Amino acid sequence: MRRAGRHFLQIPGPSAVPEQILQAISRQTIDHRGPDFAKVGQRALSGIKTIFKTVQPVIIYPSSGTGGWEAALVNSLSPGDRVLMFETGHFATLWKKIAEKLELRAEFIEGDWRGGADPDRIEAYLAEDKSQEIKAVCVVHNETSTGSVSPIAAIRKAIDNAGHSALFMVDTISGLASLDYRHDEWGVDVTVSGSQKGLMLPPGLSFNAISEKAQAANTKATLKRSYWDWADMLGPNKSGYFPYTPATNLLYGLNEAVDMLHEEGLDNVFARHARHGQAARAAVRAWGLDVLCATQGQESGVLTAVLMPEGHSADKFRATALEHFDISLGNGLSKVADRVFRIGHLGDFNDLMLVATLAGVEMGLTKAKVPHNCGGVTAAMEILDRTPSVGVAAK
Ligand code: PLP
């Protein structure tokens, strides 16, 4: 049956794609080896650097984020290399599984899924590695399964304090273009990201931003690679081309997205996400529920993961909200399956969209008979009122 009105896609990515980007993507596909393509390619390859805040190359793959993860590893490491990872949640666990499949020796610093990666524990772990066997430290910046953010600059410092030479790799698949991120300034060697979150595009592009140190590692790394090989990309990229058929229409969309982000101003984009995260958490607290991220200062502006009261199924609640209010909320993944639901508040998103989303959650909780206090939406509205959005004149 037809459902009137618009669907609320409030999972933490893919995020809803703005009309302007959909229009850009709908243009006719052109010859990716023809003269007109170079302008599209060059604009995309230089524009994306401004979002990663790097002057180093950013490789663009026609793939999901998982491809970007694999590319980061196979381009810079060799079979049997030790790799240190931090268990921030489901996505850190998946990245580790890829490393294991590639026959790297991946080691986890265990975490409780309630905060970001801990720089002190990383420093202590690396300090024990006197013979510098660990070749890479891999951290998820915005852990999408928990809504926790890892302190990337502090982790860089931890690696330096330990006097360790490992490459520093960061997954900011769900953080880029929503949370502050600085590939060069923070001394990250490989940053992995994807198109379908803060960049407001459909799924289908992944990225590797690569430092000089990572490029040097690439010349010695012996893991097998073909499709993902940075070296094959870098040559044609110099003139705006790709070694194989790029996702031309997504590149049109990317060029539009980069312009939109700069038009708003990246700092304003980050502030908008932080403010919406704060308002969403106020709603959760007013409902009498717990935010999964329990580490103050590390709560994400991209999503809020909410713990269900004991004995209540998060998946049943989500199904009820979808059925009655046409809103898709994120599910709990692996360790927190059915225990958690996730509210996405990322991408092209404003105050009224947040309030409507939280109203959908609150009405869903009532409908699904989940014990809670009312007033979550009001609490969020109070925060929004107290902290006016950037660009709106104060009266
Ligand atoms: N890393 C993070 C933090 C993610 O949020 C996701 C997807 O949501 C991935 C990796 C995997 O990306 P994809 O599903 O595009 O392959």
Side-chain angles (χ1 to χ4, degrees), residues 5-28:
R6 87 157 167 83
H7 174 70
F8 273 73
L9 180 67
Q10 298 315 141
I11 57 174
S15 60
V17 181
E19 200 54 44
Q20 221 174 312
I21 291 182
L22 288 174
Q23 273 174 20
I25 288 171
S26 72
R27 277 171 36 213
Q28 190 56 257

Side-chain angles (χ1 to χ4, degrees), residues 4 21 82 117 160 176 203 216 218 224 229 242 247 292 318 361 390:
I21 291 182
R82 284 177 68 192
D160 294 343
L176 191 76
N218 179 249
K224 292 263 183 292
D229 207 329
F242 291 81
L292 182 62
R318 289 188 315 107
V361 174
V390 183

